[in-house]
């Protein structure tokens, strides 16, 4: 008689970039468990692997609950749009993503591709805003509009206290010509209503331009990005420009 048991499979999807081509690799491991002790050992091993892959997994209960806003709140009314004059020239404006009514951006994270050392650089690929109610960060949404394909998200940076994001400054590398490696937007700074200036963990090509105007009341509540589409192995610049919405 064939012994019965529980088959446990774990699959990991890993995305790698080889010579500007994005590949997704799936690796699966299956184990047949036939005893309670075996199941306990498998569970312990899975927790160990997950803890290594996701730092701080054991402290998730201490983090605020965060969910994507997507397009659900795109109809939220704004009274102003913040822009800067030094954005990159490539790409098109994409869709707006907004915080829910009563929520404002209190922190941000950047998707950044590090220096590729001779291969094609794209630098800043995405901007993610974290939205909360003033003074209550236990439940949050994030908005990011369209993002590029390269790099990883940096650790979030937060306005202290009950501060919200009020204005921004963009670091942009100018167009380098026909044979140059364009990166366009490289980094960003925000001013908080609680006074400090937050600088992103972006790259260092280009220079910062002028500061945007400031949200007079309320704060930043959404964004739109200007993105160059993937160039299929040619020169990518990814994120070129961004504008932010002010809500009362």
């Amino acid at each position: 008689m064939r012994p019965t048991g529980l088959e446990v499979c774990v699959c990991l999807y890993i995305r790698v970039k080889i010579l500007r081509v994005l590949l997704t690799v799936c690796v699966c491991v299956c184990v047949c468990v036939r005893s309670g002790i075996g199941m306990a050992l498998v569970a312990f091993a899975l927790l160990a692997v997950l803890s290594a892959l996701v730092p701080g997994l054991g402290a998730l209960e201490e983090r605020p609950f965060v969910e994507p806003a997507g397009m659900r709140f795109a109809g939220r009314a704004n009274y102003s749009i913040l822009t800067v004059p030094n954005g990159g020239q490539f790409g098109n404006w994409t869709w707006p993503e907004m915080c829910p009514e009563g929520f404002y951006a209190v922190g941000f994270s950047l998707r950044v591709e590090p220096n590729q050392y001779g291969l094609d650089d794209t630098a800043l690929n995405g901007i993610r805003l974290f939205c909360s109610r003033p003074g209550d960060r236990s439940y949050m949404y994030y908005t990011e509009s369209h993002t590029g394909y390269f790099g990883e998200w940096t650790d979030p940076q937060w306005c202290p206290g009950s501060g919200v994001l009020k204005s921004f400054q963009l670091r942009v590398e100018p167009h380098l010509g026909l044979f140059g490696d364009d990166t366009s937007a490289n980094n960003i700074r925000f001013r908080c209503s609680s006074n400090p200036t937050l600088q992103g963990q972006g790259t260092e090509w280009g220079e910062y331009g002028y500061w945007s105007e400031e949200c007079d009341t309320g704060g930043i509540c959404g964004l739109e990005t200007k993105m160059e589409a993937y160039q299929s192995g040619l020169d990518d610049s990814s994120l070129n420009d961004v504008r932010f919405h002010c809500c009362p």
Side-chain angles (χ1 to χ4, degrees):
M1 182 176 179
R2 183 178 176 180
T4 59
L6 175 66
E7 186 176 84
V8 179
C9 294
V10 177
C11 294
L12 297 178
Y13 289 87
I14 305 171
R15 190 173 66 178
V16 297
K17 182 178 68 175
I18 302 175
L19 297 177
R20 312 306 294 176
V21 177
L22 292 172
L23 300 176
T24 300
V25 180
C26 178
V27 179
C28 293
V29 177
C30 295
V31 179
C32 184
V33 182
R34 295 173 179 168
S35 69
I37 296 177
M39 292 179 65
L41 290 175
V42 169
F44 180 80
L46 290 177
L47 284 174
V49 171
L50 288 173
S51 297
L53 293 175
V54 186
L57 186 65
L60 281 179
E61 66 276 8
E62 300 176 3
R63 299 181 181 179
F65 184 85
V66 182
E67 68 169 293
M71 296 288 292
R72 285 179 289 169
F73 312 107
R76 182 179 179 182
N78 68 74
Y79 67 85
S80 178
I81 295 180
L82 305 180
T83 63
V84 290
N86 65 319
Q89 68 185 63
F90 304 110
N92 297 292
W93 288 103
T94 61
W95 58 88
E97 286 191 9
M98 305 290 289
C99 306
E101 194 72 35
F103 284 67
Y104 301 92
V106 297
F108 73 99
S109 175
L110 304 180
R111 186 173 192 174
V112 179
E113 181 185 52
N115 192 333
Q116 297 300 289
Y117 297 102
L119 299 177
D120 185 26
D121 291 292
T122 60
L124 185 58
N125 273 250
I127 300 170
R128 177 179 290 170
L129 300 180
F130 293 93
C131 312
S132 77
R133 298 187 199 287
D136 179 9
R137 299 184 182 180
S138 60
Y139 193 99
M140 307 179 78
Y141 290 85
Y142 70 81
T143 66
E144 57 190 38
S145 187
H146 186 36
T147 65
Y149 301 102
F150 308 111
E152 302 297 332
W153 290 100
T154 63
D155 291 333
Q157 296 173 252
W158 308 98
C159 290
S162 58
V164 300
L165 303 180
K166 301 281 282 188
S167 62
F168 78 103
Q169 186 183 31
L170 197 61
R171 184 170 196 160
V172 178
E173 182 182 47
H175 178 40
L176 298 178
L178 181 61
F179 299 105
D181 181 5
D182 292 305
T183 60
S184 293
N186 274 247
N187 206 352
I188 196 169
R189 289 173 179 156
F190 287 99
R191 281 185 179 142
C192 297
S193 60
S194 47
N195 290 324
T197 297
L198 305 178
Q199 177 165 289
Q201 301 169 46
T203 43
E204 298 183 353
W205 293 299
E207 302 292 337
Y208 279 103
Y210 293 108
W211 280 93
S212 71
E213 296 293 325
E214 188 171 287
C215 295
D216 295 326
T217 60
I220 289 176
C221 59
L223 78 163
E224 301 170 58
T225 54
K226 184 180 181 182
M227 302 292 302
E228 181 184 43
Y230 178 54
Q231 298 297 296
S232 302
L234 301 177
D235 182 25
D236 288 291
S237 62
S238 203
L239 195 150
N240 273 247
D241 201 353
V242 62
R243 52 195 181 202
F244 295 96
H245 296 240
C246 292
C247 294

